Amino acid sequence: MPSLREMQLRFAGALFAEVESQAFGLLAGEPLAAAAGVAVYRNNLREGFRKALALEFPVVEQLVGSDYFRQLALEFLAAHPSRSGDLYGIGAPFPAWLRERFAATEYAWFADVAALEWALEELRIAPAPAAATALDLAAVDPDRHADLRLRLHPAARLVTASVPAVDIWRAHQPPMTLDSIDLAAGGERTLVRATPAGFEFHRLGVGEHRLLETLARGGTLGTAVECALDAEPGLDLARALRRLFAAGAFILATE
């Protein structure tokens, strides 16, 4: 008789198996009845996964249609089965998976919309400490500014896209004013900030994005400024910093 551990592994394997015969022998009684019982659990697993994924990526579901989204969800489940009892985090690999799934096709931009949606999901539960202000910077000895370690605010995310992803997302929010969106209009770099009033979207220039990206990776303000100016030599640094401080983009590092 198989051990409890072996039975658990066989049962889990049967839930993900496409071949019904793999369910045989799991339970006492008639094999067909056992297989039918396992099929109920398999269907519940798939539908629960699909529904959780649709809650995290509602715009992607609207873009592809519910039937095709179900197909994508099942493919994604096979590639990235949940390893936790909490289904919240199942969507983390979804944008990258979509990018690979639709690479070199006219639908590659689906991954950009998914990346924006996942950023919003993370921001819904992100901590919200007080943001650093320009006054905090002014209070620091100017000789120490280059070594200052600002960090991207926990309730902020940087999102890059090859299409107007923010406009696409907005168009699919109630009351669903689906105006024409030109996918060929070009990409965007966006600072997404969660506030008590909702989400704010701040379009970034090349230099601003590089500055925030460098700080988010642990660089000092001096290094971030150098990277920003390399990316955009004509950047008005003072104006950019004022704008980013006003957006609540930073916190002061405690280390």
Side-chain angles (χ1 to χ4, degrees):
M1 181 175 180
S3 67
L4 176 61
R5 175 63 174 169
E6 291 171 331
M7 288 289 289
Q8 289 172 331
L9 290 175
R10 290 171 63 184
F11 181 70
L15 294 183
F16 289 93
E18 292 294 337
V19 182
E20 296 293 338
S21 62
Q22 292 189 28
F24 295 174
L26 279 171
L27 303 174
E30 292 296 324
L32 290 178
V38 171
V40 172
Y41 281 99
R42 182 185 298 115
N43 183 67
N44 289 341
L45 167 71
R46 292 175 173 179
E47 287 305 298
F49 189 93
R50 178 194 63 79
K51 289 177 181 178
L53 197 67
L55 287 173
E56 294 173 344
F57 300 95
V59 174
V60 173
E61 184 184 30
Q62 292 174 55
L63 289 169
V64 305
S66 58
D67 289 342
Y68 189 56
F69 187 84
R70 184 178 189 278
Q71 177 182 327
L72 288 176
L74 294 181
E75 290 180 26
F76 178 62
L77 171 61
H80 296 276
S82 174
R83 301 186 182 280
S84 169
D86 182 359
L87 287 177
Y88 170 75
I90 62 172
F94 192 56
W97 182 83
L98 283 178
R99 196 170 304 282
E100 183 177 350
R101 174 70 169 74
F102 291 103
T105 75
E106 60 182 308
Y107 303 112
W109 57 274
F110 286 165
D112 294 331
V113 178
L116 174 60
E117 289 202 278
W118 184 248
L120 298 180
E121 279 299 308
E122 290 185 321
L123 291 177
R124 295 183 202 281
I125 60 170
T133 69
L135 292 177
D136 294 321
L137 181 63
V140 176
D141 184 340
D143 291 338
R144 295 180 51 224
H145 281 181
D147 296 325
L148 194 63
R149 292 188 180 275
L150 294 172
R151 291 292 175 264
L152 191 66
H153 194 284
R157 293 293 185 276
L158 294 175
V159 179
T160 59
S162 60
V163 294
V166 174
D167 288 343
I168 294 170
W169 180 85
R170 282 176 168 151
H172 287 81
Q173 306 309 303
M176 299 288 288
T177 54
L178 296 175
D179 298 327
S180 177
I181 295 174
D182 183 7
L183 296 180
E188 60 188 12
R189 305 169 190 81
T190 307
L191 171 70
V192 186
R193 180 73 161 85
T195 72
F199 297 117
E200 295 179 352
F201 301 92
H202 303 272
R203 185 71 64 88
L204 301 173
V206 175
E208 291 173 324
H209 181 266
R210 184 65 61 82
L211 186 144
L212 288 174
E213 187 179 50
T214 305
L215 291 173
R217 291 176 176 173
T220 63
L221 181 57
T223 300
V225 166
E226 290 178 2
C227 291
L229 292 174
D230 284 343
E232 186 180 341
L235 176 66
D236 184 337
L237 184 61
R239 180 177 179 276
L241 285 172
R242 286 195 300 269
R243 179 170 178 261
L244 295 174
F245 272 113
F250 307 114
I251 59 171
L252 286 171
T254 57
E255 71 274 9

